[in-house]
Amino acid sequence: MQKYNPQKTELKWQKFWEENKIFSAIDNSKKQKKYILVEFPYPSGAGLHMGHLRPYVAGDVVARFNRMKGFETLFPMGWDAFGLPAENYAIKMGVHPSITTASNIKNAKRQIQSWGLSFDWNREINTTDPEYYKWTQWLFLQFYKKGLAYEATGLINWCPKDKTGLANEEVIDGKCERCGTAVQKKELRQWYLRITAYAEKLLEGLKNLPEWPGAVKLQQANWIGKSTGAEIKFGIHQPSVKRFVLLHGRGSSPEESFLPWLKNKLEKLGYEVQVPAMPGGDEPSDLEQVDFVKKNCKLDESTVILGHSFGGIVALRLLEQGIKVNKVILASTPYLGRFSDGKARKSVVEAIQRGFDFKKIKAQAQNFISISDETDHVVPLADGQSLAKELNGLWLKQVATKSHFDGNEEPFLLENCAPSIKVFTTRPDTIFGATYMVVAPEHPLIQNYESRITNYDEVKKYIEKAKGKAEMERTAEGKEKTGVKLKGLFAINPATKEEVTVWVADYVLGHYGTGAIMAVPAHDERDFEFATRYNLPIKQVVYPVVNIDEKNTITLKTYEDHADKYIQRTTRGVDGVFKQWVDDFLKKIKKTDKILELGSGRGLDSDYIESRGYKVERTDAAESFISYQKGLGKEIKKLNAFTDKIDLNSYDLIFANKVLLHFNREQFKLVVAKINLGLRDNGIFALSLMDYKKATEHFVKDPKMESLRYFKFWKKNEVEEELKSLGFEIVDYMEKGFNDDGFQDILFVFKKTKSVAFVDYGLVINSDKFNGLKTVEAIIKMGEEFGKLTVQYKLRDWVFSRQRYWGEPIPLIHCEDCGIVPVPEKDLPVMLPKVKKYEPTGTGESPLANIKKWLKTTCPKCKKTAWRETNTMPQWAGSSWYWLRYADSKNKQKFADMKKLKYWQPVDIYFGGMEHTTLHLLYSRFWNLFLYDQGLVSSKEPYTKRHPHGIILGPDGEKMSKSRGNVVNPDEVVKSHGADTLRMYELFLGPHEATVSWNDKGVVGVKRFLDRVWTWVNEIVEAPHQKIRKSENRKPEIKDTEKVQRAMHKLIKKITEDIENFRFNTSISAFMEFHNEIKDEFITLESITQFLILLHPFAPHISEELHQIVGKSQNRKIKSLQQTSWPIFDPALTVSSTVEIVFQINGKVKGKITVPAGSSQEVVQAQVVVMEVVKQALVGETIKRVVFVPNRLMNLVI
RNA sequence: GGGCGAGUGGCGAAAUGGCAGACGCAAUAGCCUUAGGAGCUAUCGAGAGAAAUCUUGUGAGGGUUCGACUCCCUCCUCGCCCACCA
């Protein structure tokens, strides 16, 4: 027998597989396909590590298994080779990244091959290969052409060390994901991919991925962060404007186009609105109309005139005649006398030809706005522009709802009459409580209203400071909210019509929602904190009611279901224990104090307190709160009704009686919150509670008390914590012994330390006609009334440019005349130029900007000199479509052929790390969905099944890192024990998805197992020529023993099912168990072969070698085990012929008997009852019940 | 603060309603050996006992069940992800 030499055999078989092309997948094969994918690595200088090994080995087991199951199996590999390390190395050493990349790839490939992974290297790809990135660029252009790639200047995450912009997803805890440097905000011109356009599709698509782990789907859903609510506009208060005069156009009337709508809107905002029905019909005279308006309308310096079309001419005439107004808005007003549709309009031309005294007109109003419709079929844009110029006013272009601003609703005109701040809220039901507004520092409003904001310098300073803060600082936990009031600026709450102040504060984020909020301090924790700090008004508009939750269901359901079972509490007198602690407690309060008892109508406690000379008021003396008969929701309602009528602030002490502790957590919170909302700041109240621990025992004996199970039994620390969260602090605490009933009474004295916002659902109050609505209903009703219901996503657009060298150049050209022009397909790829210096400029420009020769090009459209885009793509670009390329990696005409895509797509199983959930996995779904919409790929979702893996920690249980010195190098394990041992031990460590730590000592266990298998097989094969063997039984046999047969089928079943369920760790155990069990049995060489087939996916080399040894002994021609087929098990043989049956008495194990498998209950019972232990136990008892589980157990209940 | 997941020997872990600790590591004893970082045999949760055996035991408490590591409720601890998202 030769010694097992893994290093030698492994090299031999790796060579064999390669030479015989064992792993090549055939496109469009007749066989059914399986596409097994593992995330391709970044080939770093350090080589591949354990983190790579884990998914790769798992993928390899599954791939080899599927090949043997007869599937055409695609298991490809490639290199995600763009990225910073190669570039940083280039900066340091001056070596071109492509050189380092190539040598790193060579090394990584050597490693992978040494692990015996069955990748199809014919399909190898490399993202930095121009043949590959040509298509990355081409795909980018598809996004660009559909308007999903756009350029914008914005505040982006900037890593000062890597000197590049980062995507939102690349910022972890305010630090650069790659280098850990604190991320800054920087204003830069960037390319974005409009992933937000796919937010809903990406979210919806998750529903069609039943084979994805719930955690992954949930994380993506949370990242997309859909929330429903309403967009509501808060008008900006215009102190100098009181009324509007709306002048209709030629041939129109106050009842036409947008006028009725606008009138209504403005009146709702509290303005006076006049819409004169001017005479003249289709051929009006401007002068006649001016006279009419003068006579019928009030015009003064607090009036704004909006003139639509011809009405604009009338407006100007009014001013010309000396009428002073606040502001004039002209919408689609003709001026030049020629019309877009070429039609003649006599009266209009006549009026214009009279000319205007613009000098005089300008003096009559402070502001002029001229608004043009970009789609106007009557008045050309030039008219509006010229008017604005003559009037020295503002010219605004907009697409009207209907051409010539003739729509029934023209929001843009409204916005100019009454400018507003748009907010997004999930709680429109609390709008009556919106007592101020906050805009983010980035909000454009601030700049737009520079002239109105009287403390602009202060505001500006605050904004600068906020910008300078790293994201980390700005969002740091426990950080106090700061802000500055925008003095001189007020907004109008559309519900209350009240003026509210407007603030700028960095607790409002510029990039979420509309960048502005309505602040409802009474019902939002953040607003509450801010309002408290700056002394802003707090108005309660939600009433805490017990039985309404988010889903509008009644919390007390279970409770009420069992209400009829509730027992009446027995009357009992004031016991000694109670007396004692009340006496103790009363020493602390004065006889003159006002005391209120909430809760018990029976008044046990208050009776006693009164008897000691105190005056106690009761909630309701006539009716008992502790009547459990009718359900408990009632009591809370009663309690709330009572506390509504009285001023809780006027009491010095409030007892909230025992009844409170019967409620579950939510109800308890609400009751206390209710008290809290009314309590004065330094009030005290006492809460007497019972600990039911002992009481339960008492009740257990009495079946009538069963319903107590539904009570919440409070513990002291629970109450303490609960009250703390509601803003109370324990002042005193008294606990007494158990009373006769087994109850323990506890007295708590709390002091209110702070008020808190009530953020839960309830009933609407203080909100006019909405009062009494459930908040869930009010959200819809009030959202529709004051704004419109909308959806918001947390997901932000993907910053898709990097200011670095080593990435795919963005294939666009900037031309002075033609703007941005895509590089024509025939000119792709845009190759990365050779440079001398890779150093990023640090100014936000890519190093490519310094290469003048490359930069300068000609415009593909007009052939004039133009400049290339200098930004490169992020590392995620290449991996966003790579699995598609594997299907057709050598295609020169297309990124992939549709027929091949149809055959291979989608990926059946995708192995990878959890850390890519919101990065690569989301990005690539986005690309795939987009390409699907373009008809470029065949499958809507790219991956049918995703299987994430846990990380491998070092032997010390810490994350492997060079600095900790706990890195286990897989190559060294290969060197010392061989790849098969490495693979099997890695799988053996624990469940694939669990975090495990590598134990250096444990490896030998697997090595020993493989050694034993080696010896076992060799001894049997060589037995006829060998004298000394481990066991006399070790020789080739004609027939397996029954034990072997059954063990073999059990093993086939176990291994097959384990691979299908990714439970590799228990597979390894099963092999060991099998070997331990049958190593000294008679076994045939056929069975040994079968064992080797099963072992093959896990330990491919040793299994091939032993298979060859067995084959040679039989003079069989050997082939690779990959070409054999996976065995099928006989279910009948997977169980042993005899089984041990455990017998129990009342669930306690008394012993076991051995019976033939499948024995009936009668047979087993007959044997069990005669057992000595059973006989003894049965003396004087009868068997009440027999539980029999075939082949397993018998339980006698006596 | 929110979400998700996990707690089982000295260690990695198995068992997902039916004998808790399979399998492996470490440890202990013995055999073999010039030797052992090789191999083989046996023991190996804790407590009691010479032993058979008994008791107890899966983070804590409670519940459901003939029977609970497993299901339900409450809590504690740890890990991961997100985090001023209106």
Side-chain angles (χ1 to χ4, degrees):
Chain A
M1 193 200 311
Q2 290 221 329
K3 219 179 157 252
Y4 171 41
N5 182 341
Q7 289 75 17
K8 209 177 114 195
T9 30
E10 285 172 3
L11 275 175
K12 169 183 158 186
W13 286 100
Q14 284 154 15
K15 213 173 134 207
F16 176 89
W17 295 326
E18 201 181 345
E19 282 169 0
N20 292 280
K21 296 199 188 326
I22 300 290
F23 310 129
S24 295
I26 297 160
D27 295 323
N28 305 322
S29 149
K30 287 217 168 58
K31 284 200 242 172
Q32 223 186 316
K33 67 94 188 178
K34 282 275 183 208
Y35 187 170
I36 314 296
L37 185 65
V38 293
E39 286 166 356
F40 63 162
Y42 174 79
S44 78
L48 302 182
H49 47 77
M50 286 293 177
H52 293 107
L53 186 81
R54 195 130 202 239
Y56 293 177
V57 169
D60 190 56
V61 170
V62 173
R64 286 179 184 268
F65 170 73
N66 277 302
R67 282 192 203 99
M68 292 154 91
K69 290 273 273 187
F71 291 101
E72 189 63 51
T73 304
L74 175 55
F75 186 47
M77 183 38 76
W79 313 102
D80 190 13
F82 274 125
L84 280 181
E87 178 166 344
N88 288 338
Y89 187 77
I91 291 165
K92 222 163 104 191
M93 312 300 286
V95 183
H96 193 272
S98 66
I99 295 168
T100 14
T101 300
S103 75
N104 289 348
I105 286 177
K106 204 177 149 196
N107 180 44
K109 195 167 173 179
R110 176 198 57 78
Q111 284 182 292
I112 287 176
Q113 281 174 322
S114 80
W115 300 339
L117 301 173
S118 64
F119 291 120
D120 177 0
W121 289 106
N122 293 328
R123 295 168 188 265
E124 180 176 356
I125 56 169
N126 174 348
T127 54
T128 64
D129 179 353
E131 283 299 311
Y132 182 91
Y133 72 70
K134 168 179 177 175
W135 297 109
T136 310
Q137 291 176 338
W138 184 84
L139 289 165
F140 172 84
L141 288 179
Q142 306 313 305
F143 283 95
Y144 178 77
K145 282 173 187 164
K146 293 288 167 185
L148 290 173
Y150 66 95
E151 197 183 20
T153 304
L155 276 184
I156 63 142
N157 300 307
W158 174 261
C159 174
K161 184 163 174 246
D162 289 341
K163 291 178 182 146
T164 184
L166 299 172
N168 194 20
E169 288 82 347
E170 292 171 294
V171 182
I172 310 289
D173 290 333
K175 289 178 188 157
C176 171
E177 180 205 40
R178 220 168 294 115
C179 65
T181 312
V183 168
Q184 297 172 347
K185 287 279 171 190
K186 192 164 179 160
E187 186 139 340
L188 270 183
R189 181 185 67 88
Q190 292 287 337
W191 281 93
Y192 292 83
L193 283 193
R194 210 181 294 278
I195 190 169
T196 50
Y198 272 74
E200 189 60 40
K201 278 194 174 186
L202 286 165
L203 189 64
E204 276 298 304
L206 292 174
K207 290 184 187 152
N208 305 322
L209 295 170
E211 295 191 71
W212 277 41
V216 173
K217 286 193 274 189
L218 193 75
Q219 236 184 73
Q220 285 208 355
N222 287 344
W223 189 263
I224 294 166
K226 181 177 180 173
S227 45
T228 53
E231 259 177 25
I232 298 172
K233 283 179 184 170
F234 277 57
I236 294 171
H237 181 51
Q238 308 184 86
S240 55
V241 178
K242 285 205 176 66
R243 70 186 63 75
F244 285 85
V245 173
L246 312 180
L247 302 179
H248 62 74
R250 164 185 158 271
S252 186
S253 78
E255 306 310 321
E256 284 175 64
S257 65
F258 62 86
L259 289 165
W261 170 81
L262 184 60
K263 178 170 189 272
N264 181 274
K265 286 278 172 189
L266 290 171
E267 277 173 351
K268 266 200 172 167
L269 292 170
Y271 296 105
E272 195 184 306
V273 185
Q274 309 167 80
V275 195
M278 298 185 290
D282 277 353
E283 296 300 340
S285 149
D286 52 338
L287 299 171
E288 193 188 339
Q289 290 195 340
V290 164
D291 287 344
F292 183 86
V293 174
K294 270 204 229 168
K295 223 178 277 171
N296 290 290
C297 298
K298 190 175 176 190
L299 296 159
D300 62 14
E301 280 177 77
S302 56
T303 304
V304 173
I305 306 179
L306 169 79
H308 177 222
S309 194
F310 191 79
I313 296 174
V314 179
L316 294 175
R317 289 277 177 249
L318 283 162
L319 269 69
E320 200 176 47
Q321 294 189 15
I323 285 176
K324 277 192 184 296
V325 293
N326 182 283
K327 181 158 93 172
V328 175
I329 302 165
L330 305 171
S332 283
T333 294
Y335 175 58
L336 300 174
R338 269 173 296 134
F339 301 100
S340 306
D341 57 7
K343 282 188 194 156
R345 288 169 177 84
K346 208 180 108 207
S347 48
V348 180
V349 176
E350 265 177 31
I352 292 166
Q353 277 171 352
R354 263 192 277 282
F356 297 96
D357 182 352
F358 283 112
K359 204 178 162 194
K360 186 156 186 205
I361 293 171
K362 273 194 275 185
Q364 306 302 314
Q366 303 166 13
N367 270 312
F368 294 91
I369 300 174
S370 165
I371 301 172
S372 298
D373 169 24
E374 290 179 56
T375 60
D376 205 317
H377 68 292
V378 183
V379 180
L381 284 175
D383 292 44
Q385 190 176 19
S386 307
L387 274 174
K389 215 170 177 183
E390 300 281 10
L391 292 162
N392 214 3
L394 201 59
W395 181 49
L396 303 171
K397 284 185 293 183
Q398 184 74 14
V399 175
T401 315
K402 196 176 161 194
S403 171
H404 195 59
F405 287 105
D406 260 334
N408 288 334
E409 294 183 8
E410 292 291 355
F412 191 69
L413 298 184
L414 172 63
E415 185 58 35
N416 275 284
C417 290
S420 64
I421 305 169
K422 197 160 52 167
V423 302
F424 173 74
T425 176
T426 54
R427 292 294 299 271
D429 56 317
T430 62
I431 189 168
F432 282 85
T435 52
Y436 66 100
M437 298 190 78
V438 187
V439 298
E442 299 92 317
H443 201 282
L445 171 103
I446 298 165
Q447 270 191 14
N448 293 348
Y449 281 82
E450 184 174 346
S451 56
R452 290 252 310 260
I453 299 168
T454 55
N455 59 337
Y456 195 77
D457 285 349
E458 191 193 353
V459 170
K460 189 89 195 156
K461 222 190 247 168
Y462 179 80
I463 293 170
E464 288 305 317
K465 216 175 115 196
K467 241 189 229 174
K469 279 187 209 172
E471 183 89 345
M472 208 33 187
E473 236 176 290
R474 189 167 151 175
T475 61
E477 204 179 332
K479 191 193 84 70
E480 268 200 62
K481 291 181 177 40
T482 57
V484 175
K485 189 174 173 176
L486 303 180
K487 287 182 185 158
L489 207 60
F490 294 91
I492 311 283
N493 181 324
T496 62
K497 312 284 188 228
E498 279 163 19
E499 271 180 35
V500 297
T501 49
V502 182
W503 295 68
V504 56
D506 62 9
Y507 83 91
V508 170
L509 307 171
H511 50 71
Y512 181 76
T514 59
I517 61 154
M518 64 177 207
V520 186
H523 306 290
D524 181 282
E525 280 167 20
R526 294 151 301 173
D527 298 342
F528 183 86
E529 190 190 325
F530 191 78
T532 312
R533 183 177 166 136
Y534 290 103
N535 257 323
L536 294 161
I538 298 171
K539 183 182 166 195
Q540 192 192 342
V541 291
V542 178
Y543 184 95
V545 182
V546 277
N547 56 348
I548 298 166
D549 68 8
E550 189 187 354
K551 285 176 189 129
N552 208 14
T553 52
I554 293 168
T555 347
L556 283 178
K557 195 85 179 115
T558 330
Y559 232 87
E560 286 179 341
D561 284 350
H562 296 85
D564 56 332
K565 286 196 217 152
Y566 290 177
I567 43 93
Q568 190 99 30
R569 200 177 96 180
T570 49
T571 315
R572 67 181 168 94
V574 174
D575 54 63
V577 173
F578 175 76
K579 267 187 214 160
Q580 219 178 22
W581 63 254
V582 171
D583 285 344
D584 283 350
F585 176 66
L586 290 179
K587 283 177 194 153
K588 296 175 196 239
I589 51 174
K590 292 181 287 235
K591 295 238 159 136
T592 49
D593 281 349
K594 257 183 105 186
I595 302 172
L596 172 71
E597 184 185 11
L598 290 175
S600 174
R602 205 167 294 278
L604 291 174
D605 307 349
S606 29
D607 282 351
Y608 181 73
I609 297 167
E610 279 185 325
S611 77
R612 301 299 306 250
Y614 293 86
K615 175 107 183 70
V616 181
E617 279 182 55
R618 322 269 180 94
T619 43
D620 189 338
E623 280 187 86
S624 170
F625 274 116
I626 320 178
S627 156
Y628 303 127
Q629 308 271 355
K630 295 273 161 71
L632 286 167
K634 245 185 161 177
E635 281 144 42
I636 296 300
K637 276 183 197 154
K638 246 186 247 172
L639 192 63
N640 284 335
F642 180 80
T643 53
D644 265 357
K645 280 183 258 161
I646 57 165
D647 178 15
L648 291 164
N649 285 319
S650 65
Y651 295 90
D652 296 293
L653 179 72
I654 298 170
F655 272 88
N657 206 289
K658 295 182 177 76
V659 68
L660 298 184
L661 96 147
H662 298 313
F663 304 133
N664 65 26
R665 171 177 287 268
E666 281 315 303
Q667 295 153 1
F668 178 82
K669 256 190 186 173
L670 287 162
V671 172
V672 179
K674 175 71 192 163
I675 297 165
N676 173 31
L677 283 166
L679 259 184
R680 69 164 177 239
D681 284 351
N682 290 314
I684 294 176
F685 80 92
L687 192 62
S688 75
L689 298 172
M690 289 182 278
D691 186 335
Y692 279 84
K693 193 177 174 185
K694 192 114 184 204
T696 327
E697 290 168 24
H698 172 78
F699 287 138
V700 161
K701 288 173 197 145
D702 183 353
K704 274 189 286 180
M705 308 296 254
E706 196 205 345
S707 56
L708 268 182
R709 191 186 303 142
Y710 302 101
F711 291 121
K712 159 77 191 156
F713 302 133
W714 292 87
K715 289 180 200 151
K716 186 207 164 200
N717 64 329
E718 290 173 348
V719 175
E720 190 172 346
E721 206 176 286
E722 201 72 6
L723 283 157
K724 212 171 156 189
S725 77
L726 289 161
F728 291 88
E729 172 188 280
I730 291 187
V731 171
D732 204 352
Y733 166 80
M734 273 178 266
E735 189 176 6
K736 298 293 170 179
F738 294 101
N739 68 12
D740 301 341
D741 290 347
F743 287 88
Q744 187 187 30
D745 288 328
I746 305 171
L747 177 73
F748 291 90
V749 183
F750 293 101
K751 188 176 145 193
K752 187 179 179 186
T753 52
K754 64 172 175 128
S755 297
V756 290
F758 178 77
V759 298
D760 286 324
Y761 296 90
L763 289 181
V764 172
I765 54 166
N766 292 331
S767 304
D768 289 354
K769 61 174 181 177
F770 299 97
N771 283 346
L773 277 180
K774 292 174 184 175
T775 45
V776 270
E777 297 160 356
I779 286 172
I780 311 284
K781 288 207 171 135
M782 289 160 91
E784 278 169 348
E785 173 93 14
F786 300 112
K788 65 170 199 248
L789 299 174
T790 53
V791 173
Q792 277 291 335
Y793 301 94
K794 275 199 260 186
L795 186 71
R796 289 183 245 165
D797 276 340
W798 175 6
V799 178
F800 199 71
S801 45
R802 298 291 181 274
Q803 295 68 47
R804 300 292 302 230
Y805 171 78
W806 191 230
E808 302 89 342
I810 290 178
L812 294 170
I813 289 166
H814 297 264
C815 168
E816 259 176 41
D817 293 345
C818 311
I820 294 163
V821 184
V823 172
E825 209 172 302
K826 66 173 170 54
D827 295 337
L828 292 178
V830 176
M831 301 272 282
L832 269 173
K834 288 240 151 46
V835 290
K836 289 205 184 81
K837 276 183 74 183
Y838 306 93
E839 201 89 40
T841 59
T843 58
E845 286 263 34
S846 151
L848 294 176
N850 291 336
I851 311 160
K852 298 282 176 283
K853 230 168 121 186
W854 177 83
L855 199 60
K856 203 168 156 185
T857 182
T858 52
C859 170
K861 256 192 196 161
C862 69
K863 308 293 171 209
K864 266 176 60 177
T865 303
W867 284 267
R868 288 191 189 279
E869 169 65 45
T870 59
N871 279 321
T872 52
M873 298 188 204
Q875 202 188 348
W876 310 108
S879 60
S880 292
W881 70 283
Y882 77 112
W883 72 97
L884 299 168
R885 186 66 176 171
Y886 282 138
D888 193 9
S889 63
K890 301 204 167 65
N891 198 323
K892 297 220 173 205
Q893 271 73 48
K894 288 182 197 165
F895 73 95
D897 174 61
M898 193 57 161
K899 198 179 160 200
K900 290 180 186 171
L901 282 178
K902 267 190 184 151
Y903 180 69
W904 288 117
Q905 298 305 305
V907 170
D908 291 279
I909 305 167
Y910 192 13
F911 290 90
M914 207 58 197
E915 69 276 16
H916 289 129
T917 301
T918 52
L919 291 162
H920 160 66
L921 214 55
L922 190 64
Y923 291 156
S924 56
R925 283 188 62 222
F926 166 47
W927 277 48
N928 194 81
L929 269 170
F930 168 74
L931 295 176
Y932 178 79
D933 285 349
Q934 307 311 309
L936 293 169
V937 298
S938 58
S939 163
K940 200 165 179 178
E941 285 290 338
Y943 323 114
T944 305
K945 187 179 213 144
R946 169 77 177 179
H947 199 76
H949 60 83
I951 47 174
I952 302 184
L953 305 173
D956 51 359
E958 299 282 337
K959 221 170 172 170
M960 282 195 199
S961 74
K962 262 189 214 154
S963 56
R964 279 205 188 84
N966 62 351
V967 177
V968 180
N969 185 345
D971 289 358
E972 273 164 29
V973 182
V974 172
K975 225 190 221 165
S976 57
H977 296 94
D980 285 337
T981 299
L982 171 72
R983 294 167 58 115
M984 283 188 76
Y985 182 62
E986 186 280 312
L987 295 169
F988 189 55
L989 279 174
H992 188 246
E993 56 283 348
T995 304
V996 292
S997 42
W998 185 273
N999 178 354
D1000 282 318
K1001 285 182 177 163
V1003 192
V1004 300
V1006 170
K1007 177 70 187 331
R1008 279 177 201 156
F1009 165 71
L1010 291 178
D1011 274 331
R1012 283 195 286 259
V1013 169
W1014 178 267
T1015 313
W1016 174 61
V1017 175
N1018 273 288
E1019 280 194 356
I1020 290 170
V1021 170
E1022 294 172 11
H1025 323 286
Q1026 202 82 25
K1027 286 248 166 74
I1028 303 156
R1029 309 196 281 281
K1030 294 264 154 65
S1031 158
E1032 277 307 306
N1033 294 350
R1034 288 196 183 174
K1035 53 193 176 195
E1037 290 300 323
I1038 303 163
K1039 200 163 177 290
D1040 292 323
T1041 61
E1042 192 186 332
K1043 197 172 166 189
V1044 168
Q1045 250 185 48
R1046 290 186 185 271
M1048 178 57 75
H1049 282 265
K1050 218 162 100 186
L1051 183 68
I1052 299 170
K1053 181 174 192 275
K1054 175 84 178 142
I1055 303 301
T1056 308
E1057 289 173 358
D1058 274 357
I1059 295 177
E1060 280 164 356
N1061 297 309
F1062 310 107
R1063 295 156 54 109
F1064 310 114
N1065 54 328
T1066 53
S1067 290
I1068 312 294
S1069 303
F1071 283 122
M1072 293 171 171
E1073 268 173 89
F1074 174 82
H1075 181 255
N1076 288 347
E1077 198 183 336
I1078 59 87
K1079 62 179 189 289
D1080 294 330
E1081 295 284 316
F1082 293 112
I1083 188 166
T1084 60
L1085 290 175
E1086 284 67 36
S1087 289
I1088 285 180
T1089 305
Q1090 223 163 48
F1091 172 82
L1092 294 173
I1093 290 174
L1094 296 176
L1095 185 65
H1096 177 74
F1098 302 87
H1101 311 91
I1102 191 174
S1103 54
E1104 291 270 34
E1105 183 67 20
L1106 288 173
H1107 180 231
Q1108 193 181 47
I1109 291 170
V1110 171
K1112 265 186 188 157
S1113 76
Q1114 295 176 309
N1115 298 317
R1116 264 195 294 132
K1117 201 181 166 226
I1118 58 110
K1119 51 181 179 179
S1120 167
L1121 280 171
Q1122 277 287 277
Q1123 293 159 323
T1124 61
S1125 52
W1126 193 258
I1128 295 162
F1129 61 86
D1130 177 352
L1133 291 174
T1134 57
V1135 287
S1136 327
S1137 54
T1138 58
V1139 289
E1140 271 192 343
I1141 289 201
V1142 172
F1143 56 90
Q1144 307 175 321
I1145 295 198
N1146 288 342
K1148 292 239 186 277
V1149 178
K1150 290 292 168 196
K1152 39 192 142 183
I1153 53 166
T1154 305
V1155 295
S1159 295
S1160 69
Q1161 175 168 349
E1162 288 72 28
V1163 173
V1164 175
Q1165 195 167 346
Q1167 287 192 49
V1168 166
V1169 288
V1170 296
M1171 299 298 289
E1172 201 52 42
V1173 267
V1174 178
K1175 272 203 270 184
Q1176 271 173 28
L1178 286 178
V1179 172
E1181 303 276 356
T1182 48
I1183 298 173
K1184 286 196 193 115
R1185 197 177 149 190
V1186 179
V1187 180
F1188 178 66
V1189 182
N1191 295 336
R1192 287 217 137 145
L1193 129 163
M1194 170 158 287
N1195 185 15
L1196 305 177
V1197 185
I1198 57 172

